[in-house]
Amino acid sequence: MKFDPQKYRELAEKDFEAAWKAGKEVLAERSPNELYPRVGFSFGREHPLFSTIQKLREAYLAIGFSEVVNPLIVEDVHVRKQFGREALAVLDRCFYLATLPKPNVGMSAEKVRQIENIMGKKVDPDPLREIFHRYKKGEIDGDDLSYLIADILGVDDITAVRILDEVFPEFKELKPQAGSLTLRSHMTTGWFITLSHIADKFPLPIKLFSIDRCFRREQGEDATRLYTYFSASCVLVDEELSVDDGKAVAEALLRQFGFENFRFKKDEKRSKYYIPDTQTEVFAFHPKLVGSNTKYSDGWIEIATFGIYSPTALAEYDISYPVMNLGLGVERLAMILHGYDDVRKMVYPQIHGEIKLSDLDIAREIKVREVPQTSVGLRIAQSIVETAEKHASEPSPCSFLAFEGELMGRNVRVHVVEEEENTKLCGPAYANEVVVYKGDIYGIPRTKKWRSYFEEGVQTGIRYIDGFAYLAARRIEDAAMKGEKELKIKARVVENLSDINLQIHENVRRYILWKKGKIDVRGPLFVTVKAEIE
């Protein structure tokens, strides 16, 4: 059942209880996400980087490449095998992994006395010696140490940690020691390892791709580089391969992302693991770049590199077939597709100030603050709105009956009034509607001047009179409950959302101010409601 406000209003005028029942039926048919947005099943928002990764996966699969995961943590010996004399220069850019050595922990008489002072009783040191010996041998993990000490000494975990902290300074003095393990700085390092296991077992041609993180020890992070990046890399293994195979793969892959024309240039860097004169830079034209505020405003950008692995490097891994490797940086492609000029802002928007809320995000957080708690209260609010709409331009002084009926066992008469002379029942802004437009919040009338705001922005559907009517009805309910005999609710010049009984989450308000946006709902509402309660 679709909710139709006009039909619901007409039904409410004839039979409010039937309208109330119909409303409950509409709610019953709504999806879980509509009723319970915190646990619903709507789609969230993709990160541009991982959105691009997914599209790259689909693109590689579409041209017949199969996906693999290459080793991420590798011995530095692999870099030496692949780069030869240049290995030291490459390893200088690698992150080495370090671990904490296991200390030799002694159990002197002084340490035993310290433990006894903490526990307040005698201690047999032999079980502790056994635990520390097993820890040194690697039979016990560090995260189990305090638990086992607590168990042997018969104390709680907090006391066991205190004993380790105060009695055994050996643990505080530990410093990390690097070994030979590195974080992969090039996907090539992983390809050699992978192909060494399968190149002589799979039928040719072998077509594989991997999209995963690499790590590089840069001098620092800036608009074009990060310590960690994603490489979208592939290999083609066959009995015969040439540079033309690399060109064909590059074009087939990149055309799926809107790149139209291609240029190929020999790469002057000439990595040692490629055959000389096969390492090639791929330049591609993308219409999104034309006229952009970047150095690629002519539409051309270097987007990928490929080459054929050197037989010398392949021989180190007993790989007997030629291998073509192509790779591209996912971040660069994502920046093109999503219009970023700073990789930090794209990858870490929450840190580098590129948080973006859509107009819809903001509009969803604008809510009515106080609403009636009874069905009669809802009818009063609706009656106030209808009376204001019907008589808004009537000259004052004037008074119009909006509602008469029973509320909480008492007879209630509600009027919309204007007691001052030479004005109108409602102020000019009574029908202003709250709209979110380009990240700003406005309270504006539906006139030609503001048409684009309504058409291009997000309408909340809340007018000033609507918010005020809900507040007035709630106040009348409270007065009836307290036994009051009369009540006057006035709205004058609107300065803030709260003046029209609206609120916005504080986080969203701070976001708007942080973006130097505005919340401009100023306007003369000037509506008064009087209630007589018998």
Side-chain angles (χ1 to χ4, degrees):
M1 183 188 301
K2 185 177 179 181
F3 180 72
D4 186 327
Q6 182 60 35
K7 289 184 179 179
Y8 186 84
R9 182 180 297 178
E10 293 173 357
L11 180 58
E13 290 175 352
K14 299 176 183 177
D15 187 342
F16 187 82
E17 294 302 325
W20 187 260
K21 182 179 179 181
K24 290 175 66 176
E25 292 175 355
V26 170
L27 288 175
E29 294 183 4
R30 288 189 178 178
S31 69
N33 186 60
E34 291 179 279
L35 296 174
Y36 309 106
R38 292 182 185 274
V39 293
F41 304 100
S42 65
F43 289 103
R45 183 178 301 165
E46 286 185 303
H47 190 290
L49 179 60
F50 291 97
S51 170
T52 304
I53 288 173
Q54 179 58 26
K55 291 174 183 175
L56 277 164
R57 293 182 66 248
E58 294 169 357
Y60 270 122
L61 293 168
I63 59 175
F65 282 74
S66 298
E67 190 169 27
V68 297
V69 177
N70 285 322
L72 178 63
I73 298 175
V74 296
E75 296 274 357
D76 58 7
V77 65
H78 291 289
V79 178
R80 300 180 190 279
K81 281 184 178 182
Q82 295 160 23
F83 285 87
R85 294 178 180 178
E86 290 184 354
L88 287 178
V90 176
L91 289 171
D92 181 64
R93 303 287 294 278
C94 289
F95 285 104
Y96 272 82
L97 296 179
T99 58
L100 289 173
K102 295 183 182 297
N104 290 314
V105 181
M107 284 294 298
S108 64
E110 176 60 29
K111 287 183 178 180
V112 174
R113 281 195 295 271
Q114 287 179 274
I115 296 173
E116 290 176 343
N117 288 337
I118 293 173
M119 295 179 57
K121 63 180 182 180
K122 288 289 184 180
V123 171
D124 180 1
D126 290 336
L128 279 177
R129 287 194 182 96
E130 175 64 20
I131 285 179
F132 287 128
H133 179 66
R134 292 175 58 200
Y135 170 71
K136 175 66 177 178
K137 292 172 62 178
E139 296 175 3
I140 295 175
D141 293 328
D143 51 1
D144 293 329
L145 193 57
S146 61
Y147 166 77
L148 292 173
I149 291 174
D151 183 55
I152 284 178
L153 297 179
V155 297
D156 55 52
D157 289 348
I158 295 176
T159 303
V161 171
R162 181 186 171 191
I163 290 171
L164 284 171
D165 182 63
E166 296 181 9
V167 181
F168 299 99
E170 296 94 328
F171 291 97
K172 291 182 181 180
E173 296 167 359
L174 291 178
K175 294 183 179 180
Q177 295 180 357
S180 60
L181 293 177
T182 70
L183 292 174
R184 178 184 62 208
S185 63
H186 300 72
M187 189 62 77
T188 286
T189 307
W191 280 129
F192 276 91
I193 298 171
T194 292
L195 293 177
S196 69
H197 291 275
I198 66 172
D200 61 347
K201 300 179 180 66
F202 280 27
L204 302 181
I206 300 171
K207 300 165 67 177
L208 304 174
F209 79 93
S210 184
I211 305 173
D212 205 350
R213 286 191 183 275
C214 294
F215 300 82
R216 193 169 296 175
R217 192 170 67 88
E218 305 284 2
Q219 295 301 313
E221 294 188 327
D222 56 30
T224 61
R225 70 194 76 193
L226 300 173
Y227 291 128
T228 176
Y229 67 96
F230 279 88
S231 173
S233 180
C234 71
V235 289
L236 173 62
V237 185
D238 209 344
E239 292 183 352
E240 293 185 5
L241 288 173
S242 70
V243 170
D244 288 338
D245 294 295
K247 293 178 179 180
V249 172
E251 289 192 28
L253 179 70
L254 294 171
R255 284 190 186 280
Q256 299 180 66
F257 292 89
F259 292 96
E260 299 173 348
N261 299 309
F262 300 88
R263 296 173 183 167
F264 302 96
K265 177 184 175 182
K266 288 183 181 179
D267 192 341
E268 296 179 357
K269 293 193 291 288
R270 300 179 182 178
S271 299
K272 290 299 182 183
Y273 53 75
Y274 284 134
I275 295 175
D277 297 328
T278 66
Q279 185 168 340
T280 305
E281 295 175 323
V282 181
F283 291 82
F285 177 86
H286 200 293
K288 274 191 175 184
L289 293 171
V290 176
S292 63
N293 295 323
T294 69
K295 62 181 179 180
Y296 311 111
S297 58
D298 62 351
W300 287 92
I301 186 172
E302 180 193 348
I303 194 67
T305 301
F306 69 82
I308 298 176
Y309 284 152
S310 164
T312 303
L314 291 172
E316 293 283 348
Y317 293 85
D318 295 325
I319 300 170
S320 56
Y321 296 105
V323 179
M324 189 283 297
N325 165 239
L326 177 143
L328 62 89
V330 178
E331 285 80 1
R332 174 171 287 195
L333 178 58
M335 289 170 71
I336 296 170
L337 299 179
H338 295 275
Y340 285 87
D341 60 1
D342 189 319
V343 67
R344 297 167 300 181
K345 292 181 179 180
M346 181 188 72
V347 177
Y348 307 117
Q350 74 279 12
I351 297 173
H352 292 280
E354 283 295 305
I355 300 172
K356 293 181 180 179
L357 295 182
S358 69
D359 288 351
L360 182 58
D361 292 329
I362 296 172
R364 281 172 173 162
E365 296 303 319
I366 300 173
K367 297 178 172 62
V368 178
R369 187 171 57 180
E370 295 190 57
V371 297
Q373 301 298 298
T374 65
S375 60
V376 177
L378 289 171
R379 290 172 61 186
I380 292 173
Q382 185 61 43
S383 299
I384 292 171
V385 171
E386 292 174 353
T387 303
E389 289 175 333
K390 185 176 181 180
H391 301 288
S393 298
E394 292 289 341
S396 63
C398 56
S399 177
F400 298 92
L401 178 65
F403 174 85
E404 183 174 10
E406 186 176 303
L407 173 63
M408 298 181 183
R410 305 181 68 186
N411 186 54
V412 176
R413 290 170 58 85
V414 179
H415 292 80
V416 181
V417 306
E418 179 52 66
E419 297 170 335
E420 295 184 9
E421 296 183 353
N422 301 319
T423 182
K424 297 178 181 179
L425 179 66
C426 299
Y430 87 96
N432 280 17
E433 186 173 334
V434 179
V435 176
V436 182
Y437 177 72
K438 294 185 177 180
D440 299 325
I441 299 174
Y442 296 94
I444 50 179
R446 284 184 174 271
T447 60
K448 184 177 181 180
K449 175 183 178 181
W450 303 103
R451 179 183 300 170
S452 61
Y453 285 59
F454 283 93
E455 293 177 349
E456 299 171 20
V458 175
Q459 307 168 32
T460 64
I462 305 172
R463 299 171 302 172
Y464 289 11
I465 189 62
D466 299 324
F468 172 72
Y470 278 123
L471 177 64
R474 177 61 183 273
R475 293 287 183 267
I476 293 170
E477 287 179 333
D478 291 343
M481 185 181 298
K482 295 175 182 177
E484 298 176 8
K485 293 186 177 181
E486 59 181 13
L487 180 69
K488 182 188 288 188
I489 309 103
K490 300 182 69 172
R492 303 190 69 80
V493 176
V494 176
E495 296 285 348
N496 305 295
L497 287 171
S498 58
D499 295 333
I500 45 175
N501 190 32
L502 298 182
Q503 63 184 6
I504 187 169
H505 195 283
E506 181 62 18
N507 284 6
V508 179
R509 187 191 69 82
R510 283 196 291 262
Y511 165 81
I512 294 172
L513 296 177
W514 172 68
K515 294 287 285 186
K516 294 182 171 56
K518 65 179 72 172
I519 301 176
D520 189 353
V521 293
R522 293 171 296 173
L525 178 51
F526 292 111
V527 178
T528 302
V529 169
K530 276 187 175 182
E532 300 168 354
I533 308 170
E534 299 177 355

